[in-house]
Structure formats: structure tokens, C-alpha cells
Amino acid sequence: MNIAGILSRIVILCFVPLFLSSCNGDDLKKAATISSKKLTLSKDRSLKVEIVFSDSAVVKAKGFAPILDQVNPSSGSKYQEMPKGVKITFFDPKQTVTGTITSDYAIRKETEQVTIFKKNVVVVRDDLTFNTEELTWNQQKKMYYSPKGIVTRPDGTVLNAINFTAPEDFSSVAFEQGSGETYVKGDLGQ
């Protein structure tokens, strides 16, 4: 027998018992303890929900969700989930529609006072349409945030950019690294 064969047998004889001894019953007991700690959720489902947001008896917005799940985890904060999407219509003090937000999914985190709209998010106002895949509304700051999106104006201007922010009424939009197309009226050559 050569030296390489002897060394390989010594390595196998030394490490196999060591490996097998690391697989003892204590590990299985730990795994059973961990798996017994289950997270309990209570979920209340409502169908065809309309929510009215008002301030001093003046309606500011109405929201509609085909499904609204109120989720109360056994640990952690409560949240509302709209798995089939949501449409919110905004009103001015004269109750004229000023804009809408629609998305295929939304979640409202009560403790953080944040609502996150996801999948096919579209904000429509008279002066712009904003398309994105994710839009966050921070209720405390009264601001909207989006990592990226496309703004289209009625004159045909299209703007792609990242890190969008807008106040609650979308009266202005701030962004970074914008690029797009714009149209200028008038005679440029004369």
C-alpha cells in the first residue's frame, strides 16, 4: 500500500466520526422549538370597500378597493392590504375632481403612516400623468416618493427620471437624472 492510500484512510477515519457526532439529537430539538414558534395572523376581509377621507367635513378623497384585508399579526404592526388594487379620487373644496391614483396592489402600514402603491401605478391630473411601478405616500410628511417613473404632460412632453418626489396634491414634481422629449411652440428660426 502506498503512502497516499494510507493518508486518505486516516483522514476518512478521523473526520467521519467527527462529522457524525455533530449530528446529534440536540439539533433536532432546537429545530422543533424554532418551528413551533409560528406567526399568527388574523385577517378580516371586506369586499367592495369605499373609504372617504375628509378634513373639517370637506371630502378630500375617496378610495375604492375591490378587496381590503385588515391584517393583525400576533407580533408586529397592523396593516391593510388591497391585493386587487385601489383607485383613489381627489377633490378640491368645491368637490371637483382634481386627480386620481390607481394601482393593481396597495398596502397601508398604519404605524408608519405609509401607503405603498405597486404594479401599474398611474397618477392622473389635468397637467400630468405619472406612470410607475411603485409609489409611496408618507402621510406625516404629506409627500409622495417613487424610485423611477414617467411623467407625460398634455403638450406631449415625456420625461423619464429617478427619485421622484411630489407634494400631496401633485402640484409640482421633483426628480433626478431626467431625460425625455419636449415640444416647443412658436417659430424658432425667425
Side-chain angles (χ1 to χ4, degrees):
M1 190 178 291
N2 63 19
I3 294 181
I6 294 172
L7 287 176
S8 66
R9 287 187 182 143
I10 290 173
V11 168
I12 290 172
L13 290 174
C14 290
F15 287 110
V16 168
L18 189 66
F19 174 73
L20 292 175
S21 70
S22 69
C23 299
N24 59 29
D26 289 340
D27 291 339
L28 294 176
K29 289 177 188 174
K30 288 178 187 175
T33 303
I34 291 170
S35 69
S36 70
K37 295 179 182 177
K38 296 178 182 174
L39 179 64
T40 305
L41 297 175
S42 79
K43 184 192 289 189
D44 296 320
R45 176 165 278 188
S46 300
L47 303 175
K48 298 181 180 177
V49 176
E50 184 173 284
I51 300 170
V52 177
F53 302 94
S54 62
D55 185 15
S56 303
V58 176
V59 175
K60 297 194 132 223
K62 288 183 181 179
F64 176 77
I67 297 173
L68 176 74
D69 293 332
Q70 176 70 38
V71 182
N72 300 306
S74 58
S75 63
S77 57
K78 299 187 295 186
Y79 60 93
Q80 296 172 332
E81 187 174 36
M82 292 145 270
K84 296 291 184 180
V86 66
K87 178 177 183 177
I88 300 174
T89 305
F90 297 95
F91 300 94
D92 66 11
K94 296 177 184 177
Q95 297 306 292
T96 305
V97 174
T98 59
T100 61
I101 295 178
T102 57
S103 68
D104 292 346
Y105 172 87
I107 185 168
R108 177 166 171 12
K109 298 178 181 181
E110 291 183 26
T111 305
E112 295 92 347
Q113 293 187 331
V114 169
T115 303
I116 303 168
F117 303 92
K118 291 187 176 188
K119 299 179 189 170
N120 300 314
V121 182
V122 180
V123 177
V124 177
R125 290 184 38 91
D126 287 341
D127 58 342
L128 68 85
T129 300
F130 178 66
N131 296 317
T132 185
E133 287 300 308
E134 183 174 324
L135 181 68
T136 301
W137 176 49
N138 185 316
Q139 187 175 350
Q140 290 178 328
K141 295 181 180 179
K142 298 183 178 188
M143 293 289 292
Y144 286 97
Y145 303 92
S146 180
K148 64 181 179 177
I150 300 169
V151 173
T152 307
R153 301 246 183 219
D155 66 358
T157 300
V158 178
L159 175 69
N160 294 295
I162 62 171
N163 297 328
F164 280 92
T165 59
E168 214 168 30
D169 62 358
F170 260 85
S171 58
S172 63
V173 177
F175 54 86
E176 296 175 9
Q177 299 179 8
S179 64
E181 295 179 17
T182 189
Y183 297 93
V184 179
K185 292 182 182 178
D187 296 330
L188 294 176
Q190 298 175 4

